[in-house]
Amino acid sequence: MNIKDYIIAPSILSADFARLGEESSKVLDCGADWIHFDVMDNHYVPNLTIGPMVCKALREFGIEAPIDAHLMVKPVDSLIESFAEAGASYITFHPEASDHIDRSIELIKSYDCKAGLVLNPASPVGLIEESLDKLDMVLLMSVNPGFGGQKFIDSVLNKITKVRSLIEKNNLNTRLEVDGGINLENISQIASAGADTFVAGSAIFNENDYSAVIKKMRSSLETI
Ligand code: DX5
Ligand code: ZN
């Protein structure tokens, strides 16, 4: 894969929540491509974070980069609409959280947003197979959703390779994003397995120099 095709999407879950506008703009100035926006509802996952009003506030603050809204919520449809109206670019949801997966995908597309499905570490690839040709992105969780700063679950590497071959077999341009526990030590292995889009929260925001980490991540990706 061409180095230019790799996307680094810092998760602002690990940013300073009192300064989300500045933090988002700083991490983009430091070389990030997208903002990964983790939405947790204390129902589908055991944590509560930020909603569409904060997404809209980031747009009004001047964030122009793609906002990748990862919905860890149940039900999903009303929040899909709110996030589309709030300026989200990608909207991804967990198939287990929607009663009508295809309807939720179509709803995202009806707003001209990019649609993605998310698989938890133990969720089978079969859950996305029927929808793959309609998806702009597949997001594979490499931790159990709900918290930042957890350890990458190695068994997900096989699933990354499996989904990459499905994408290639069907000649699709679907992005393959991986989320959870990504750091400087494992990013190249995750890319070699077939991922092209990398969410990193604590590995970036827990460092003082965001630019240095992102540069190092890109150099690791250059070795693939
Ligand atoms: C977990 C979230 C992730 C997470 C990434 O539920 O979806 O985006 O915050 O954070 P790190 O990189 O710290 O694992
Ligand atoms: Zn996420």
Side-chain angles (χ1 to χ4, degrees):
M1 173 150 321
N2 190 313
I3 180 75
K4 289 201 191 93
D5 293 333
Y6 288 121
I7 293 286
I8 294 181
S11 162
I12 52 172
L13 183 63
S14 296
D16 178 353
F17 264 26
R19 301 170 46 252
L20 280 183
E22 288 93 338
E23 287 274 76
S24 303
S25 128
K26 181 172 160 192
V27 84
L28 291 165
D29 287 346
C30 286
D33 302 295
W34 297 356
I35 294 298
H36 184 80
F37 192 108
D38 284 310
V39 187
M40 304 184 185
D41 66 350
N42 192 38
H43 169 70
Y44 181 66
V45 289
N47 201 355
L48 185 64
T49 58
I50 41 181
M53 290 167 76
V54 177
C55 181
K56 185 161 180 262
L58 289 182
R59 287 296 187 215
E60 285 168 1
F61 183 83
I63 301 300
E64 289 177 353
I67 294 180
D68 173 26
H70 173 194
L71 304 189
M72 288 161 275
V73 304
K74 187 177 178 175
V76 296
D77 288 357
S78 66
L79 281 171
I80 285 174
E81 296 184 299
S82 308
F83 269 96
E85 281 160 5
S89 315
Y90 281 78
I91 301 181
T92 63
F93 66 95
H94 292 245
E96 295 95 333
S98 172
D99 286 331
H100 304 282
I101 298 168
D102 187 66
R103 180 175 289 151
S104 302
I105 293 169
E106 290 300 333
L107 184 60
I108 297 173
K109 294 187 155 228
S110 73
Y111 283 92
D112 278 334
C113 293
K114 308 264 191 201
L117 280 176
V118 192
L119 290 180
N120 285 331
S123 298
V125 171
L127 274 179
I128 57 154
E129 260 181 292
E130 297 302 325
S131 316
L132 192 59
D133 60 343
K134 291 189 171 178
L135 298 177
D136 298 291
M137 184 153 77
V138 172
L139 168 49
L140 297 182
M141 292 306 298
S142 39
V143 298
N144 288 299
F147 304 94
Q150 303 179 77
K151 193 182 169 311
F152 185 90
I153 299 172
D154 285 321
S155 59
V156 174
L157 288 169
N158 278 335
K159 189 150 58 165
I160 299 172
T161 305
K162 230 189 221 178
V163 175
R164 170 56 64 198
S165 12
L166 267 182
I167 292 172
E168 280 176 7
K169 203 173 87 194
N170 291 285
N171 279 317
L172 299 168
N173 289 322
T174 327
R175 295 211 74 87
L176 180 45
E177 182 175 48
V178 177
D179 182 3
I182 297 185
N183 54 40
L184 284 175
E185 282 68 53
N186 59 20
I187 192 166
S188 62
Q189 200 186 3
I190 297 163
S192 303
D196 55 42
T197 305
F198 307 87
V199 175
S202 48
I204 294 175
F205 286 105
N206 288 0
E207 295 296 322
N208 289 326
D209 189 344
Y210 304 163
S211 170
V213 195
I214 294 170
K215 267 198 196 109
K216 283 186 198 153
M217 285 180 164
R218 291 210 197 274
S219 333
S220 301
L221 292 172
E222 263 171 51
T223 64
I224 310 298

